[in-house]
């Protein structure tokens, strides 16, 4: 019987803001990063970003139904699923793209991402902005 072992989540490869028709800026350009529940008490921008990364990773881990992975009869080995999404100006996770060669797993990761609730969007000059987020998910079957 195969077992699923999650190797870990690296939750921030690139974290860029997008504005209407403007060049994407780095997270360092945000005055305030997006806030997620559990990170409200953080005041330093760096602490907020680290907390956001951690919370999103934990929520993905909590929301995924690993039985979906096990039912796919994938060969034993290590896998990486690349996910790309946007935390919108209205603090919603949108524009989800999941890069993996199995539709059932793509659908499950998309479902798990949609369950994440963001409390407030990224802010620049007092205005909400969209933030692009890249989240690779690593897992192993053995």
């Amino acid at each position: 019987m195969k077992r699923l072992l999650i190797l870990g989540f690296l939750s921030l490869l690139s974290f860029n803001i997008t504005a209407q028709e403007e060049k994407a800026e780095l997270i360092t350009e945000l005055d305030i990063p997006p806030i997620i529940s559990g990170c409200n008490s953080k005041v330093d921008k760096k602490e907020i970003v680290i907390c956001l990364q951690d919370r999103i990773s934990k929520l993905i881990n909590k929301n995924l139904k690993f039985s979906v992975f096990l039912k796919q009869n994938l060969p034993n080995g290590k896998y990486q699923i690349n996910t790309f999404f946007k935390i919108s100006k209205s603090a919603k996770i949108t524009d989800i793209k999941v890069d993996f060669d199995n539709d059932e797993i793509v659908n499950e990761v998309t479902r798990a991402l949609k369950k994440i609730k963001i409390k407030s969007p990224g802010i620049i000059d007092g205005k909400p902005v969209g933030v692009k987020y890249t989240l690779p998910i690593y897992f192993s079957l053995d």
Side-chain angles (χ1 to χ4, degrees):
M1 179 180 195
K2 289 188 180 184
R3 291 182 344 186
L4 178 70
L5 171 68
I6 295 297
L7 295 177
F9 295 98
L10 175 63
S11 59
L12 190 67
L13 268 185
S14 75
F15 198 48
N16 298 319
I17 65 154
T18 57
Q20 300 170 1
E21 307 282 333
E22 291 181 20
K23 181 180 157 191
E25 302 290 338
L26 297 175
I27 184 77
T28 55
E29 299 299 319
L30 289 173
D31 296 331
I32 303 170
I35 305 285
I36 193 167
S37 185
C39 299
N40 307 7
S41 64
K42 308 295 182 201
V43 290
D44 178 65
K45 183 165 65 171
K46 190 174 183 177
E47 287 178 335
I48 294 170
V49 170
I50 291 168
C51 187
L52 177 68
Q53 294 170 320
D54 184 57
R55 292 289 298 144
I56 287 177
S57 293
K58 285 179 180 172
L59 288 168
I60 288 288
N61 196 26
K62 177 183 172 189
N63 292 338
L64 282 175
K65 293 180 182 172
F66 296 112
S67 61
V68 172
F69 290 67
L70 296 172
K71 290 178 185 175
Q72 302 312 306
N73 294 321
L74 296 171
N76 288 348
K78 296 178 181 179
Y79 295 89
Q80 178 176 337
I81 303 169
N82 292 311
T83 67
F84 311 90
F85 56 92
K86 180 178 171 183
I87 299 174
S88 73
K89 292 193 273 186
S90 59
K92 306 277 187 227
I93 292 184
T94 63
D95 303 337
I96 299 170
K97 292 179 181 60
V98 179
D99 184 18
F100 196 70
D101 269 349
N102 181 295
D103 289 341
E104 295 298 319
I105 290 175
V106 167
N107 291 339
E108 177 57 19
V109 170
T110 300
R111 183 198 64 76
L113 281 168
K114 286 181 178 179
K115 291 186 78 166
I116 295 172
K117 305 294 183 216
I118 306 294
K119 290 188 86 162
S120 63
I123 304 290
I124 290 182
D125 295 331
K127 297 177 185 167
V129 294
V131 179
K132 285 185 179 179
Y133 204 97
T134 301
L135 174 72
I137 301 171
Y138 301 95
F139 71 97
S140 176
L141 292 170
D142 57 17

